[in-house]
Every structure is written in C-alpha cells, then in structure tokens.
C-alpha cells in the first residue's frame, strides 16, 4: 500500500468531500471521507474505533478513503474511494439507534458513498444501517447480501501469492514453499487452508490464543510459533502479514528472511521508503491493496445483485493484476508499490475524464 506523510494524511483538500456527523442523543460521532468519485460512487467500510482524539479519527478516515480509491481503481471496479469512521468504543456505545442514525447520514449523501463492514462493524450491523439507507453493502445473505467478505479476501491474497511465486520461482504455486502467516483471524485462517491445499508448508502465529487454538485443531500440520518476531526470523520463503497495519518497518525488514511478502493486512508499509528498503534487500513485495481487494470485490458485487461465482471469478483476476504489476515494476525499474500507484492513478485520470462527456 502506498504510504502518505503526516502532512498528506491530514490534507483534506485532496478529498472531494469530508462530512462530520453527530447525533447527541445516540452518542454518534462519525466522519465520512470521500476521496474520489472519478470512477463512480465511493465505496469503503465503516470503522468503529475508540480513537484517542478527533484528530486521530480524521487522519484515519483521510488515509483509508484515499487508499480505497487506489484499491478500487486497480481492482477494475467502477467505484471511487471512500471510508467512514465512528468515534467510540463499539463495546460500549454501539446500539440500534446509533447505527440507524449513522445510516441516515449515509443516505443524506444521495449515493455518493456506499458503506460496508470494517474494524468494529459486522454484517449484522450493516443490516441495521440498511434500515435507513439503500447505500450499504456487506449485508447478510438473508437480506440479499454477500455475507462474510473474508472468504474472497483470502482467495484474492492467495491468487496474488501465486503470481508472486511465479515471478520469483517460475511457477504459480506455493507447493513445497514455507509460508509464514501472521494473523489467524477470519482471513488468515482461510488463507492457511488454501496454502495447505496447494501443497505449501505453513508456520503461523497470532496474539489471540483462541485463534491459534482454532488453527491448531483444524490444521494440526501447521507449525505454531509464539510471536511475529520468531516468525519473520525463521526459515520461510513467503511472509504473509494478515493482522494489523505497519507490519513492515525499519526493524522487521532487515530481519526478514522471506524473499516474498504477500498478505491481507492493510497499510503494511510503516512509512514512505520501506518499499525501497524491501527492493534493496531483494524482497518482492506485492502491494497490499492489490492482493487484498477480494473483499471489496465481493461487497461491490452486491450493488448489481450478489452472485458468488461471479464475484469469485472477478477476485481470481487478482492473479493477473498482480502478475502485470510485478512485470510493470521490473520494466520501469521501480518497486511494485510505485507501479501499482501509477496504474491506479492512470485509470482514475483516464476513465474519470470521460465524465466530462455530458449525457442527457
């Protein structure tokens, strides 16, 4: 994922629209950020999180909405980039009235922004939000939605990993490779299954003992290590960060033994320059927002009436997209993260320009 400086993160002038929403009676405090609608309505999830300050919440929504514009562009979706944050502890303040109040603010934007699940919000929450707005995805299957988007997120990451393996070792398979998975949540555990089915050897870790125990019981052949430091310094071919952002920083990159990094986590590069540090060490990094786009592809499919096979086919194309970006990076002599950004920016500019051709 491209990384922005603190000045860029706080620059709301780059965004089309930033909306502050408040409903005192329910305790709702939310910010909706729309970075671009050049390709279509903005799509991005709603993060419910107890930020330390409003400034932190604003910084996050600006970063995340910009990132969604790039992700949706590279994924080939006719959708722009947006994101929303609700400021507060979901365990304490999340209620039906609060979610419905938030839904009314989304509706007030008239379709410029479609929301979905993110950290702190779930399918059931989207069903509640949808009682006040039609501009919501990530709904339950009972209500015509896609359900859990982690299924195709993991599938897309696996496809991106196949492309990286082909680029590095000449064959689009992880068979015989040792893959280290950090983060065994909803996406990580599904990715583990795909890797094992492909013939890979898997070593994994998670801070949650519950998540570790699930994998230990379901896949006893997986080697469990105590922490991420142990994981990245072990003898692995591929590192898959599938937990929090910032997984690749000044400490982890020099210690990394893997030759390839492909994971589901967002914002894996801790700061600008990490992509060059990886390249200088000969580590192939598949940009996070390219390979983890399966989830947004899945929820985007709801807009035209969800069909799982159609959505999976689209997510499978992450293999070709990743392959093309890695080749483009080699041809241009730039890191893959830079090549992906250029591809996204070009599509937003070239396709977005067509909006100047006015229709009756």
């Amino acid at each position: 994922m491209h990384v922005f400086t603190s000045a860029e993160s706080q620059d709301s002038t780059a965004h089309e629209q930033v909306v502050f929403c408040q409903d005192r009676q329910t305790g709702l405090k939310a910010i909706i950020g729309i970075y671009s609608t050049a390709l279509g309505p903005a799509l991005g999830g709603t993060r419910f999180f107890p930020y330390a300050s409003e400034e932190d919440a604003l910084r996050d929504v600006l970063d995340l909405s910009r990132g969604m514009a790039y992700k949706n562009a590279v994924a080939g979706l006719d959708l722009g980039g947006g994101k929303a944050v609700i400021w507060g502890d979901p365990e304490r303040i999340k209620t039906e009235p609060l979610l419905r109040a938030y839904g009314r603010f989304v509706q007030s934007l008239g379709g410029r922004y479609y929301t979905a699940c993110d950290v702190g919000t779930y399918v059931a929450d989207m069903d509640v939000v949808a009682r006040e707005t039609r501009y919501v995805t990530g709904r339950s299957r009972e209500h015509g939605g896609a359900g859990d988007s982690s299924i195709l997120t993991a599938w897309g990451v696996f496809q991106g990993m196949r492309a990286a393996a082909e680029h590095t070792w000449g064959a689009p398979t992880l068979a015989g490779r040792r893959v280290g998975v950090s983060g065994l949540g909803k996406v990580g555990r599904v990715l583990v299954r795909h890797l094992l089915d492909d013939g890979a050897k898997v070593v994994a870790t998670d801070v949650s003992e519950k998540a570790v125990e699930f994998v230990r019981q379901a896949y006893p052949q997986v080697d469990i290590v105590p922490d991420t430091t142990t994981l990245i310094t072990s003898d692995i071919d591929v590192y898959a960060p599938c937990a929090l952002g910032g997984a690749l920083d000044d400490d982890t990159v020099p210690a990394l033994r893997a030759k390839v990094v492909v994971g589901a986590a967002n914002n894996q590069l801790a700061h600008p320059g990490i992509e060059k540090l990886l390249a200088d060490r000969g580590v192939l990094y598949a940009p996070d927002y390219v390979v983890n786009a399966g989830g947004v592809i899945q929820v985007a499919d709801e807009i035209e009436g969800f069909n799982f096979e159609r959505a999976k086919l689209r997510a499978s194309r992450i293999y070709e997209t990743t392959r093309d970006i890695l080749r483009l990076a080699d041809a241009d002599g730039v890191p893959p993260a830079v090549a992906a950004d250029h591809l996204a920016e070009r599509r937003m500019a070239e396709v977005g320009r067509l909006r100047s051709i006015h229709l009756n």
Side-chain angles (χ1 to χ4, degrees):
M1 179 68 203
H2 53 293
V3 182
F4 310 107
T5 66
S6 58
E8 289 174 315
S9 297
Q10 298 179 60
D11 181 15
S12 60
T13 61
H15 289 63
E16 290 183 12
Q17 190 173 10
V18 180
V19 182
F20 288 76
C21 315
Q22 179 169 285
D23 181 62
R24 294 183 184 277
Q25 287 190 307
T26 62
L28 172 71
K29 289 183 179 181
I31 309 173
I32 301 171
I34 298 175
Y35 179 74
S36 170
T37 56
L39 297 176
L43 170 64
T46 297
R47 181 164 296 190
F48 205 139
F49 190 79
Y51 296 98
S53 67
E54 186 178 86
E55 181 182 6
D56 288 346
L58 176 60
R59 182 183 300 111
D60 207 25
V61 79
L62 294 180
D63 280 351
L64 293 168
S65 56
R66 189 171 183 175
M68 287 305 302
Y70 281 68
K71 177 183 288 192
N72 294 341
V74 171
L77 300 175
D78 292 330
L79 293 164
K83 203 80 173 185
V85 298
I86 298 176
W87 180 16
D89 184 351
E91 297 296 325
R92 291 181 52 249
I93 70 169
K94 187 195 293 184
T95 61
E96 178 189 346
L98 181 147
L99 292 172
R100 293 183 70 157
Y102 169 66
R104 293 187 71 82
F105 281 109
V106 172
Q107 181 68 23
S108 74
L109 294 174
R112 282 177 52 77
Y113 168 66
Y114 279 81
T115 195
C117 304
D118 198 76
V119 175
T121 58
Y122 303 92
V123 169
D125 298 327
M126 292 305 106
D127 283 342
V128 176
V129 172
R131 295 171 74 173
E132 301 293 340
T133 180
R134 57 182 289 194
Y135 306 114
V136 56
T137 61
R139 299 192 64 190
S140 67
R141 293 180 179 176
E142 300 93 290
H143 289 92
D148 185 2
S149 64
S150 65
I151 304 301
L152 290 190
T153 301
W155 179 248
V157 172
F158 176 62
Q159 297 306 317
M161 199 177 290
R162 290 179 59 239
E166 180 180 39
H167 194 84
T168 304
W169 297 296
T173 178
L174 282 305
R177 303 293 171 187
R178 188 167 170 83
V179 182
V181 180
S182 177
L184 297 171
K186 292 188 293 183
V187 177
R189 65 181 59 169
V190 178
L191 178 61
V192 166
R193 186 183 75 229
H194 291 316
L195 291 169
L196 293 173
D197 288 345
D198 195 39
K201 301 171 185 176
V202 178
V203 55
T205 191
D206 196 292
V207 295
S208 167
E209 185 54 41
K210 182 178 180 181
V212 168
E213 189 57 30
F214 176 91
V215 170
R216 186 179 280 122
Q217 293 294 324
Y219 312 111
Q221 65 270 52
V222 172
D223 292 334
I224 301 296
V225 295
D227 51 45
T228 299
T229 300
T230 305
L231 181 78
I232 65 171
T233 55
S234 63
D235 186 19
I236 56 175
D237 299 300
V238 181
Y239 173 42
C242 296
L244 298 176
L248 300 167
D249 58 26
D250 294 311
D251 295 323
T252 58
V253 172
L256 190 61
R257 296 186 64 183
K259 300 299 292 181
V260 171
V261 177
V262 184
N266 287 312
N267 303 323
Q268 291 172 25
L269 306 180
H271 63 76
I274 292 293
E275 70 281 1
K276 186 177 185 305
L277 185 59
L278 287 162
D280 290 345
R281 290 204 64 234
V283 177
L284 181 69
Y285 168 68
D288 48 32
Y289 72 89
V290 175
V291 302
N292 69 12
V296 74
I297 290 171
Q298 178 170 327
V299 297
D301 197 79
E302 288 184 34
I303 296 173
E304 53 184 297
F306 182 63
N307 179 285
F308 182 80
E309 292 307 318
R310 179 179 62 202
K312 186 176 181 180
L313 181 63
R314 289 172 174 170
S316 297
R317 294 176 190 147
I318 290 173
Y319 167 79
E320 286 84 4
T321 302
T322 306
R323 181 194 61 195
D324 293 346
I325 286 171
L326 296 178
R327 290 176 178 174
L328 180 64
D330 283 352
D332 291 350
V334 298
V338 175
D341 285 356
H342 289 170
L343 187 65
E345 289 159 1
R346 185 165 67 244
R347 183 166 185 259
M348 283 189 277
E350 293 178 353
V351 178
R353 182 197 62 79
L354 301 178
R355 299 297 178 92
S356 66
I357 303 173
H358 296 291
L359 304 175
N360 291 331

